[in-house]
Amino acid sequence: MLRRALSENKVSFGLDEALLEALPEKMDRYFHLYKAAQGTAAVNGTDGAIEDQFSRSFEHTLTVDEYDRVDYTSLNIVQNCEKGDVICRIIAPTKGVPGRTVLNQEIPARDGRAMAPPKGRNTEINEDGTALVATLSGHVEYTSRSFQVKPVLDIPGNVDYSTGNINFLGDVHIHGDICSGFTVRAVGSIYVDGAVEAGTTVEAGGDLMVTKGVVGNNQSVVRAHRSIFAKYLESTHVYAHENLQTDCMVNCEVYCDGSVQVRSGRGIIIGGRTRAAHEVSANVVGAKSECLTSIYLGGLPCEEFERELVQQELEELEAQLEAVERKPNSPNKQSRLSQLRMKLSVSQMKLDQIDKSLEKLMAEREDGKNDLRRLTFGLAYPGTEITIGDCVRRLEQESRQSTASLLSGEICLI
């Protein structure tokens, strides 16, 4: 009777045979509920995963010891790898296991989804698809949602006449100094264990780290499309698209789209002009001699300066074009006009691109909550001039342990 009832209701899967055999003999078989059959639940597959063997991000923080000194050699953010090293493990997804109802109907299960491997330049998936490996020796970096291996150019000594100027499509590690008159450019980061002398140009597509410092004699330019770390900066033109950290700045022209930190070591800013988008923080600003030390806060100094350069180039080309058009017709004139119009078109495209970038960055900054424009100092001497937006304030007396910020249209010390 039990089997006939189950069959009539099409219950055919997961039957409890032991119960069906024993139930007719049970004394309490009536007026009780018994589980005669049970289906199996579907088990979804697990998604694939990526197990990183190298870090994806770095905190560029410098450790200050008990004597308020910073060891600029201890950043150690270069992740060296050898050809064939595993950058990350690729864990494959699993198949789902379908379930069954007591009516012997299938319950579908979802298969796990595969994770897209973060494959970038100079990396490849191994034969069995379980790992992402380096195809050359170099420095591992995570950018634009993928791991890439950048070749590292290792200079065992100084950049001088033995090496010549350096222009490299990766990271550069210089174990000595960059001597006067030489240029070092890299698509990646530049690490200098020594000093940067006067009359040099150093440009990094990533970070720039100078263990000892830069003495520019108003002839050196250091530029980084990310952050700059240096022991000291003297009479140098400095451009940092992110942040700048140093122990001392003297008579420098600084453009920084992030924050300027001069808190370790002497922590002093003397003379020059320091422009920062967010914050300038220093132990001491200015000098007893009351030399003019200018601090500008707000905007995007690097981007705006580059726009000024392109605008100036555009105006010069337009003037040259106008001068050539006034000359008598000749084959040389037509050739020159063609060249100038091409250059003018390229410069205009650059300007349009910078304008779009500025507009986007300013919109993001307005939407964010971290647009803090302020100068924080332990001691500021007379001669310190603070500019925030359109407001300017020049200190007439010593001020200690204060923060200068814009309140109700005026620069106030708090």
Side-chain angles (χ1 to χ4, degrees):
M1 288 174 63
L2 289 173
R3 292 188 181 282
R4 186 168 60 252
L6 291 169
S7 178
E8 287 172 357
N9 287 278
K10 300 182 180 178
V11 177
S12 60
F13 182 82
L15 296 172
D16 189 342
E17 297 291 347
L19 176 69
L20 295 177
E21 292 294 333
L23 194 56
E25 306 298 327
K26 283 182 176 286
M27 298 299 294
D28 57 348
R29 59 185 176 274
Y30 300 115
F31 308 109
H32 286 84
L33 291 175
Y34 294 94
K35 188 189 290 184
Q38 180 174 342
T40 56
V43 179
N44 290 329
T46 57
D47 292 339
I50 302 294
E51 246 180 39
D52 293 340
Q53 306 297 306
F54 287 84
S55 178
R56 296 194 180 202
S57 61
F58 291 100
E59 290 294 330
H60 296 309
T61 54
L62 297 173
T63 305
V64 181
D65 64 17
E66 65 271 22
Y67 302 106
D68 202 27
R69 295 177 305 189
V70 170
D71 182 7
Y72 283 85
T73 64
S74 65
L75 279 174
N76 195 29
I77 65 170
V78 179
Q79 299 189 103
N80 290 318
C81 72
E82 299 293 330
K83 181 179 179 180
D85 281 355
V86 174
I87 296 171
C88 61
R89 304 279 179 191
I90 302 171
I91 300 173
T94 60
K95 293 278 189 181
V97 180
R100 285 276 171 186
T101 68
V102 293
L103 304 181
N104 205 21
Q105 295 172 338
E106 185 178 287
I107 303 173
R110 179 183 63 83
D111 292 336
R113 290 174 295 186
M115 284 286 286
K119 183 179 180 299
R121 284 188 306 157
N122 303 318
T123 65
E124 65 179 9
I125 310 298
N126 63 0
E127 290 182 2
D128 56 6
T130 59
L132 181 70
V133 297
T135 58
L136 55 76
S137 299
H139 162 59
V140 179
E141 191 173 279
Y142 184 82
T143 54
S144 303
R145 301 182 181 179
S146 65
F147 281 105
Q148 56 182 318
V149 179
K150 292 183 177 179
V152 177
L153 176 62
D154 200 68
I155 308 295
N158 297 334
V159 174
D160 53 22
Y161 289 102
S162 64
T163 63
N165 295 330
I166 293 172
N167 197 341
F168 191 63
L169 297 174
D171 294 342
V172 177
H173 186 182
I174 300 163
H175 294 270
D177 302 331
I178 301 178
C179 295
S180 179
F182 289 89
T183 298
V184 178
R185 288 188 174 91
V187 171
S189 297
I190 298 175
Y191 312 92
V192 184
D193 292 346
V196 175
E197 297 179 0
T200 59
T201 298
V202 184
E203 184 169 356
D207 295 314
L208 171 62
M209 275 150 281
V210 185
T211 301
K212 292 185 178 177
V214 184
V215 180
N217 198 23
N218 291 321
Q219 298 174 336
S220 291
V221 176
V222 294
R223 187 191 304 267
H225 289 264
R226 291 209 297 245
S227 297
I228 294 177
F229 304 88
K231 183 70 175 175
Y232 60 84
L233 296 165
E234 182 179 335
S235 302
T236 304
H237 295 268
V238 183
Y239 305 88
H241 281 260
E242 291 185 5
N243 301 315
L244 167 64
Q245 184 161 349
T246 182
D247 284 4
C248 177
M249 288 198 310
V250 179
N251 295 326
C252 290
E253 289 283 335
V254 176
Y255 296 82
C256 178
D257 284 351
S259 298
V260 176
Q261 297 289 328
V262 194
R263 281 289 186 180
S264 55
R266 294 179 65 193
I268 189 169
I269 301 174
I270 300 176
R273 288 184 285 266
T274 302
R275 302 166 182 84
H278 294 310
E279 179 184 13
V280 175
S281 179
N283 292 336
V284 181
V285 180
K288 289 182 180 180
S289 62
E290 300 187 14
C291 66
L292 178 60
T293 303
S294 301
I295 308 292
Y296 300 83
L297 297 165
L300 289 165
C302 272
E303 296 286 342
E304 291 163 4
F305 178 74
E306 288 181 5
R307 188 191 186 284
E308 286 178 14
L309 290 179
V310 175
Q311 181 69 48
Q312 185 179 348
E313 180 186 349
L314 198 62
E315 291 172 359
E316 290 174 357
L317 287 170
E318 287 174 347
Q320 291 177 28
L321 185 67
E322 187 178 345
V324 172
E325 284 177 340
R326 289 198 296 265
K327 291 181 178 181
N329 289 331
S330 68
N332 287 338
K333 176 183 175 180
Q334 295 304 318
S335 175
R336 181 65 178 152
L337 283 174
S338 177
Q339 290 175 1
L340 286 172
R341 284 170 182 152
M342 178 63 73
K343 289 180 179 178
L344 200 63
S345 175
V346 170
S347 294
Q348 187 62 56
M349 287 173 63
K350 282 183 185 177
L351 188 63
D352 293 342
Q353 189 174 0
I354 290 174
D355 283 340
K356 287 180 182 177
S357 177
L358 268 170
E359 186 179 345
K360 181 181 177 182
L361 289 169
M362 292 302 290
E364 290 174 356
R365 187 151 292 182
E366 287 175 7
D367 293 339
K369 298 179 180 179
N370 60 341
D371 188 15
L372 299 174
R373 298 179 296 175
R374 64 188 182 189
L375 167 65
T376 304
F377 56 85
L379 170 63
Y381 287 103
T384 299
E385 189 175 83
I386 307 164
T387 303
I388 304 178
D390 297 327
C391 298
V392 181
R393 176 171 177 175
R394 185 162 181 167
L395 302 185
E396 302 297 335
Q397 59 185 11
E398 285 188 14
S399 300
R400 295 179 180 273
Q401 301 299 334
S402 299
T403 297
S405 57
L406 196 62
L407 295 173
S408 303
E410 292 185 359
I411 297 174
C412 302
L413 299 182
I414 303 171

